[in-house]
Structure formats: C-alpha cells, structure tokens
Amino acid sequence: MALTREEREQFLTEPHIAALAVDAGAGRAPLTVPIWYQYEPGGDVWIMTGLDSRKSRLIQAAGRFSLLVDRTEPTIRYVSVEGPVVGTTPATLEELREISARYLPAEKVEAYVDFSWKNHGEQVVIRLRPERWVSSDLGQD
C-alpha cells in the first residue's frame, strides 16, 4: 500500500542510509551510491558531499537527483523522493555535526567530525526540493 504524506515524511526523518541516484550522462547508467541525508517534514532534503566529488559534479550538471530509503523490518517499506536542486552551499561544521549525530552513536560524533573536517576536503550541502514521491509498505493490510 502507498504511504500517506505524513507516513512517508515521518519515514524520511528516520536515520536510514539512502541510495542516491543521479543521471551520469549519455551512454552511462545513473550513478547510484549510498549516502547520509537529513530531512524535516515539509522541508527540503539535504546531503553533504565533497565539492569535487563525481556525485557533486553530476548533481550540478543534472540539476536534480533522487533518494531511495528502505527497510525490511518490521515490514518492507520504502520511500523514493525526486526533485530539483534548490541550493548548494559550503558545508559548515554545525551541519557536519548535525548529520553525523543522526547516524553515529553520541560518543563517536566529535571524533568523526574532527577527523572528517580535517581530512575529507571541502564539502558542500546540496538541497533537494521534494517534487515526486513513490512509497509503499508491503506489510500493511
């Protein structure tokens, strides 16, 4: 069964690893990679990636991308969201801390943030405006 707007938005607020897909150009399948993301109901979805990464370059060229998040327990559920890029900004230390805290145990966040900020190069935050949704829960009646 398709999820309601509230159900799919709530699902995206949970810390799932997303599969990001973006057009990779003529003669290529879409680039599909796992990525952390952040979302609040009614807002934009944002990701953080290296400024010079392949995914960053492809997203900027395409002007849009999609994310797919899923789970298998307690029921098989997924949400796919697609939309245009509505902003790309240099990542801040606060954004890095926020997204890291979403996925890592509290006691690991500061060490990861410190390492990442010093070693991963210049990062950007890319914001997607949800435009199209596909969702389902295969365990619902």
Side-chain angles (χ1 to χ4, degrees):
M1 294 200 64
L3 302 177
T4 66
R5 177 181 178 150
E6 293 76 23
E7 288 171 327
R8 69 185 186 218
E9 287 186 340
Q10 177 57 41
F11 188 72
L12 280 188
T13 67
E14 299 167 9
H16 304 284
I17 303 298
L20 178 147
V22 62
D23 182 9
R28 298 289 303 263
L31 173 70
T32 306
V33 294
I35 195 161
W36 291 354
Y37 70 93
Q38 181 62 292
Y39 177 73
E40 292 184 20
D44 296 331
V45 178
W46 63 267
I47 62 165
M48 185 179 293
T49 190
L51 173 65
D52 296 322
S53 69
R54 181 170 179 233
K55 70 178 151 293
S56 178
R57 291 190 310 271
L58 290 173
I59 290 168
Q60 296 312 315
R64 63 190 310 109
F65 63 98
S66 62
L67 295 177
L68 169 69
V69 297
D70 68 341
R71 71 167 195 216
T72 57
E73 295 292 332
T75 59
I76 297 171
R77 178 177 278 200
Y78 68 88
V79 171
S80 176
V81 61
E82 173 206 345
V85 172
V86 294
T88 302
T89 56
T92 66
L93 191 56
E94 292 75 25
E95 288 165 327
L96 176 58
R97 189 171 288 111
E98 177 183 340
I99 204 161
S100 299
R102 176 173 165 84
Y103 290 95
L104 299 174
E107 67 275 8
K108 304 280 186 182
V109 170
E110 286 307 316
Y112 175 80
V113 167
D114 184 58
F115 176 84
S116 181
W117 195 252
K118 291 177 181 173
N119 295 288
H120 288 165
E122 189 172 353
Q123 302 284 305
V124 291
V125 168
I126 303 172
R127 296 184 186 281
L128 171 148
R129 171 91 16 91
E131 188 175 79
R132 293 187 181 91
W133 300 78
V134 178
S135 63
S136 186
D137 191 315
L138 303 179
Q140 289 184 347
D141 296 329

